[in-house]
Amino acid sequence: MTLPVAIAQSPYEQLMALPPGLKGEIINGQLRAQPRPSGLHALASSRLGSDIEGPYGRGRGGPGGWWIIDEPEVHFTRDVEVLVPDLAGWRRERMPAVPEEHRFLISPDWVCEIFSPSSKSLDREEKMPLYARYGVGHAWLVDPKTRTLEAYRLDDMRWVSLGVFRDDDRVSVAPFDVVSICLSDLWG
């Protein structure tokens, strides 16, 4: 008698099989799934992306030269280490064209994570060290609940704080320091 053998799915196969409404990532070899973000999270992400895309993505009132992408599937190690930042940016000299498929295989120059109650510790404690390991040059952490934006620059594999900005501050910080972002616009 032959018994059927269950073949375990790889973490990436599990990621691809997630039901609608869940966002998945592979962090340190483990599949992590979480519900889609809240409305306040989505609003902050949309508005921040819009503020940066005009001057940096399209060169309208700024230097241009960037790709600014919402929720890209970044493969730091193809199908093994897969993160999905809320926003990410690539300098065009490093990534001349956006990939045709859904996998982004070049590390971003900048990432932004927008905190939700379910994602805050994951974003700060697990994803930030991975972004450093894979050489992401800048990271921003935005918390709609506390109305803060934290900006960091990677220096010798360690995050150096560029500042914590609050409430209705106007922010001009690397790598997008040519424009001024009014934080109150992000909070709705």
Side-chain angles (χ1 to χ4, degrees):
M1 177 169 131
T2 304
L3 295 175
V5 177
I7 298 174
Q9 289 184 315
S10 72
Y12 193 72
E13 290 169 325
Q14 294 171 27
L15 174 78
M16 296 308 292
L18 285 174
L22 288 180
K23 173 183 166 181
E25 300 174 290
I26 302 172
I27 300 173
N28 294 316
Q30 298 293 314
L31 176 64
R32 300 295 182 90
Q34 32 187 328
R36 299 298 304 162
S38 69
L40 291 177
H41 174 126
L43 177 68
S45 182
S46 295
R47 289 193 171 168
L48 182 59
S50 176
D51 284 349
I52 295 169
E53 168 62 20
Y56 284 89
R58 296 183 183 184
R60 295 180 183 159
W66 284 75
W67 299 111
I68 307 298
I69 308 290
D70 294 329
E71 296 188 346
E73 185 177 295
V74 180
H75 288 243
F76 293 107
T77 304
R78 187 179 175 108
D79 297 353
V80 174
E81 198 77 73
V82 181
L83 277 67
V84 181
D86 292 301
L87 293 164
W90 288 262
R91 287 183 166 89
R92 290 186 188 190
E93 66 259 13
R94 287 192 56 250
M95 188 174 79
V98 173
E100 290 184 23
E101 69 163 353
H102 67 278
R103 293 174 178 97
F104 286 73
L105 303 176
I106 298 172
S107 292
D109 295 293
W110 166 81
V111 294
C112 179
E113 294 291 354
I114 313 288
F115 291 159
S116 288
S118 64
S119 72
K120 187 173 185 173
S121 66
L122 177 71
D123 291 341
R124 184 183 297 282
E125 296 165 18
E126 295 188 55
K127 291 174 76 172
M128 285 290 284
L130 288 172
Y131 291 140
R133 181 189 317 159
Y134 291 106
V136 175
H138 290 87
W140 291 3
L141 301 175
V142 175
D143 190 336
K145 186 173 182 180
T146 61
R147 299 168 54 117
T148 57
L149 182 152
E150 302 171 39
Y152 297 92
R153 173 182 46 84
L154 190 63
D155 185 15
D156 196 28
M157 302 296 290
R158 291 203 166 125
W159 292 115
V160 175
S161 175
L162 299 176
V164 178
F165 309 94
R166 292 182 164 74
D167 299 320
D168 61 351
D169 286 348
R170 292 197 72 78
V171 177
S172 295
V173 65
F176 304 116
D177 49 357
V178 171
V179 297
S180 180
I181 297 166
C182 182
L183 289 186
S184 63
D185 290 343
L186 306 184
W187 320 135

